[in-house]
Amino acid sequence: MDLNGPWETIARRTIAQLERAGHGQHRVILDGIARETGYVPSSLRSMVTVLRFLEFLEAHKPDLAERARSLSYIVLAIIERWWKHDAEGAETALMSFLHSPEPVRMLAEREKAARRMTSPTRPSSNGTGLAKPTQEATVFLSRTPTPRVRAAEQVPLLSVLHDHRFVHGAQVSPGGGQSQVRSRGAAHGAWSGQRLEWQGADELWRRRKVGAVGYLGTHPAVAAFEVRPSSSLDLLRDRAPELILRGHGLRSAVDCVLIILPNAKNAEVFERIDLGAPFVNGSRDVWWLYRDPA
């Protein structure tokens, strides 16, 4: 066991093995690394998420990222969660922690308090509906782990999209160095990280089974459609190839396609579908994401 091993080393090793894995092999790989390192699979997933976040910081705020590397992944995991729903508040909290560290428990409590303030399911003041979050949540698009949006199944698709901003994650360059990071945003279109004007699909888009379209000015940049819950995972498994191919068909009309799945179990079904390398998650900017109410 290697519970005292550098978490970044373990996270990079996990990412490398997951990205080389065939569909349906992720759990086997996580279990294997867990046995060798002493970390449970959920901790390994957290390390991967935190490393992706740290790479995002390196691409966009390199000075802050360099200082953040001194922190434990537990602290960075709290900041990463915070950043998704309140980037400005998370950055302030991170800089404050770097200047004057506080107990991790207190940092976690402050993140939870901030999340409650921006929760999309917060009751409105007049009790007639749901209040919108005070700030968009950020979704980092990367193949590992599967991206997710912060929303329950019953929240309408258009509301979910309005409440999130979609950003390409950073990717380790071929040199493999710890600080050798390049941003994928510029290479994948100007939509990444932008505040899109989301509109419900008109008749033309509905014919293509699109639920909503995100515009940059007058340009349709991102198309999204959601997958309704199936009566069984077997039925979804049968439908998944057609849904993935539908997403790729839409790429002729937009720069990016988002397929919104109802939950994590549905995402696992999609991850096990083997249509070959051109159709893995994120290929040609066709992404599937899942709703996570947590």
Side-chain angles (χ1 to χ4, degrees), residues 256-278:
C256 176
V257 176
L258 304 178
I259 304 172
I260 311 298
L261 302 171
N263 52 54
K265 288 188 176 180
N266 284 235
E268 290 177 3
V269 170
F270 268 59
E271 292 295 340
R272 293 191 179 100
I273 300 299
D274 189 359
L275 299 178

Side-chain angles (χ1 to χ4, degrees), residues 177-200:
Q178 192 164 327
S179 61
Q180 292 177 296
V181 177
R182 63 171 182 265
S183 172
R184 299 173 63 190
H188 289 266
W191 59 268
S192 176
Q194 297 299 311
R195 185 185 299 274
L196 300 175
E197 178 63 34
W198 287 99
Q199 298 181 17

Side-chain angles (χ1 to χ4, degrees), residues 5-52:
W7 73 266
E8 279 195 56
T9 300
I10 296 172
R12 290 184 187 280
R13 175 187 165 199
T14 301
I15 290 173
Q17 292 193 31
L18 290 175
E19 290 185 341
R20 291 195 302 266
H23 291 286
Q25 295 300 307
H26 284 196
R27 181 68 194 198
V28 174
I29 288 172
L30 287 172
D31 287 342
I33 298 175
R35 286 193 297 271
E36 295 176 19
T37 63
Y39 289 101
V40 297
S42 60
S43 293
L44 295 173
R45 291 193 189 95
S46 176
M47 289 179 187
V48 168
T49 299
V50 170
L51 181 57
R52 294 298 195 195

Side-chain angles (χ1 to χ4, degrees), residues 109-130:
E109 289 176 354
R110 292 204 292 124
E111 184 276 326
K112 288 180 181 178
R115 183 164 13 119
R116 285 193 294 270
M117 293 294 295
T118 60
S119 171
T121 58
R122 189 176 74 254
S124 63
S125 58
N126 59 14
T128 60
L130 299 178

